[in-house]
Amino acid sequence: YDPIPLQDLLALHYRNDQWWALVSYLGLFILICLPLIRVTLTGVLFYRRKEFILSSFAFLVLLGLVLSFFLG
């Protein structure tokens, strides 16, 4: 097993016209981003409504999500 960087793998799929693989990667990217977007917008909504305690909890959850993505 030789690891291939994601950028090289995407370029390979693009050159070989393997659109099904590119669409699959796009779908996975969207599924990963949805919780981040939802928690961010929830925190902003609570902040705009001056619900600072709930907003701080939302941003704390966002911090936990971001850390879990980077730390594995």
Side-chain angles (χ1 to χ4, degrees):
Y1 172 74
D2 292 326
I4 301 172
L6 181 62
Q7 184 177 4
D8 295 340
L9 188 62
L10 292 176
L12 179 68
H13 288 310
Y14 181 75
R15 281 192 304 264
N16 292 333
D17 288 330
Q18 295 176 338
W19 295 103
W20 56 270
L22 294 173
V23 170
S24 297
Y25 283 117
L26 179 65
L28 286 173
F29 178 74
I30 290 171
L31 280 175
I32 290 171
C33 287
L34 276 177
L36 294 173
I37 293 169
R38 185 181 66 225
V39 172
T40 302
L41 292 178
T42 302
V44 169
L45 177 72
F46 283 142
Y47 186 78
R48 290 184 71 191
R49 290 186 175 198
K50 298 185 189 316
E51 297 282 345
F52 298 118
I53 294 173
L54 293 174
S55 176
S56 64
F57 281 130
F59 288 124
L60 188 64
V61 169
L62 179 66
L63 178 67
L65 283 171
V66 170
L67 282 175
S68 71
F69 287 139
F70 284 115
L71 297 177

